Structures are given as structure tokens and as C-alpha cells.
Amino acid sequence: MKKFSVKAMVSIGMLSSISYILMLLNFPLPPFPKFLMVDFSDIPALIAALIFGPAAGILVELLKNMLDYFMTGSETGVPVGHAANFVAGVLFILPTYYLYQRLKTTKGMTFALVAGTVSMAILMSVLNYFVFLPAYTLFLNMPAMSGPETKQLIVAGILPFNIVKGILMSIVFMLLFSRMKTWIERQRSFKSA
């Protein structure tokens, strides 16, 4: 396990708190099912990953979801939605982080965010089909959805929602990144010094 400095741990804690607050400011998008909510809580996790490495980004995602589960609970009693949010966040930040490390330009970040969005949208569709939607129906004591019903929900709702969410997060992140790029690079150099 990677050891973090005190500064890194404090920063991860602060970014996790900001991420949790952003998670509370979620909102639905009208054409999609009401249980799909947009929030910008993955942005602090991406900042943590860019400064302290991918483990820090994953840790911010984990702490944010643990805080939300303990503070607000879950409809199912089991944190299925929180697990889905955690996995979706990780599937967004990791490809973005690794591609940006190779490209290291503003255009490279744009390309990395597109890759993170595509990765999140496609892999979350697969995971929803095989894991998360069956878990919801199981824990909510609902009748299981048939294969075609599940496929229809994913193709018409979950896949396009994740694409739109990724685009919105990318736009907001690029607005921040254009102002914060120098600061992020300086923080990275202090970390490695």
C-alpha cells in the first residue's frame, strides 16, 4: 500500500469532504429515470489523482461514498447505489489520469476526459446489466427484470445518462483545469520533491 505524507492525507480528507458536499448537490436530468442523478463529486477525486496519484483519487471516491452512506443511508439497506457511484467514479478518473500522464497538454486532458467518459459509460452499462440492477431488485424485494427490459433500460437510460454526466463533468473540470493547471503541476512537483 502506498504511504501518503501528512500533507497528502490532509488534502485527501479535504477533497473527500468537498466531494461529499458536491454529491449532496445532485440533481436529475428530465429525460432520464429519476434514480439517475448528476453530481460533480468526481472532480475533487480527479484533482487528488492528478496531484497525489491514482490511489488518492480512488481514496477520495471511497471516502465520499462511505460518508454519504453513513449520513444518508440507502433505500436497499445495502450500499448498492454507493458501490455503483464508487465504481463509476473510478472508471472515470483512472483512464483520465493515465492518459493525461502520457499526453500532459490541455488538448491531452480533453482527450483523456473523453476517454474517461466513454470508459465509464460503457463499463457501467455492462456492470449495471450483470451486477447493480440485479442487486437493486434483489435487495428491494422487487420482481427481477427480464433481459430485454434490463437491456432497454440500459440502452435508453443508463448509457446515455452516463455519457451526458461525463460530458457535463468534463466541461466543468476543463473550466477549472484551465485556471488550476499551473497550481496542480506545482503541487505535483512539491509532492515529488
Side-chain angles (χ1 to χ4, degrees):
M1 172 98 186
K2 180 177 180 177
K3 289 189 177 182
F4 291 109
S5 67
V6 173
K7 178 186 176 187
M9 288 190 293
V10 169
S11 299
I12 290 167
M14 286 175 27
L15 288 166
S16 299
S17 300
I18 293 167
S19 191
Y20 167 65
I21 291 167
L22 290 172
M23 191 177 194
L24 294 176
L25 302 174
N26 58 20
F27 56 92
L29 290 176
F32 299 110
K34 291 191 188 301
F35 66 89
L36 296 172
M37 305 288 262
V38 173
D39 63 63
F40 297 103
S41 63
D42 295 331
I43 291 173
L46 185 53
I47 291 170
L50 290 173
I51 296 172
F52 301 108
I58 293 170
L59 201 52
V60 169
E61 289 287 344
L62 179 67
L63 292 172
K64 162 194 80 171
N65 280 291
M66 287 174 57
L67 274 170
D68 191 62
Y69 177 66
F70 289 123
M71 298 302 278
T72 61
S74 170
E75 293 175 0
T76 61
V78 178
V80 177
H82 294 91
N85 184 285
F86 170 75
V87 172
V90 169
L91 290 174
F92 179 73
I93 64 170
L94 288 184
T96 304
Y97 169 80
Y98 285 114
L99 273 172
Y100 179 68
Q101 292 309 303
R102 288 185 165 265
L103 304 173
K104 296 228 185 219
T105 63
T106 304
K107 281 185 182 178
M109 177 55 83
T110 304
F111 180 73
L113 288 165
V114 169
T117 298
V118 169
S119 161
M120 174 182 67
I122 291 172
L123 293 173
M124 281 308 292
S125 296
V126 172
L127 287 170
N128 269 295
Y129 186 82
F130 290 108
V131 179
F132 297 122
L133 289 176
Y136 265 118
T137 57
L138 173 74
F139 290 117
L140 287 175
N141 242 357
M142 294 169 51
M145 294 171 67
S146 69
E149 285 176 320
T150 306
K151 196 179 294 183
Q152 175 65 27
L153 175 62
I154 289 169
V155 170
I158 293 172
L159 178 64
F161 170 80
N162 280 326
I163 291 170
V164 170
K165 178 182 177 182
I167 290 169
L168 291 173
M169 279 194 304
S170 298
I171 290 168
V172 171
F173 183 77
M174 283 308 293
L175 292 171
L176 290 170
F177 185 71
S178 63
R179 306 250 184 212
M180 295 176 66
K181 183 179 180 186
T182 308
W183 179 81
I184 288 172
E185 292 302 321
R186 196 174 321 127
Q187 296 305 310
R188 285 180 56 83
S189 64
F190 287 149
K191 179 198 83 139
S192 57

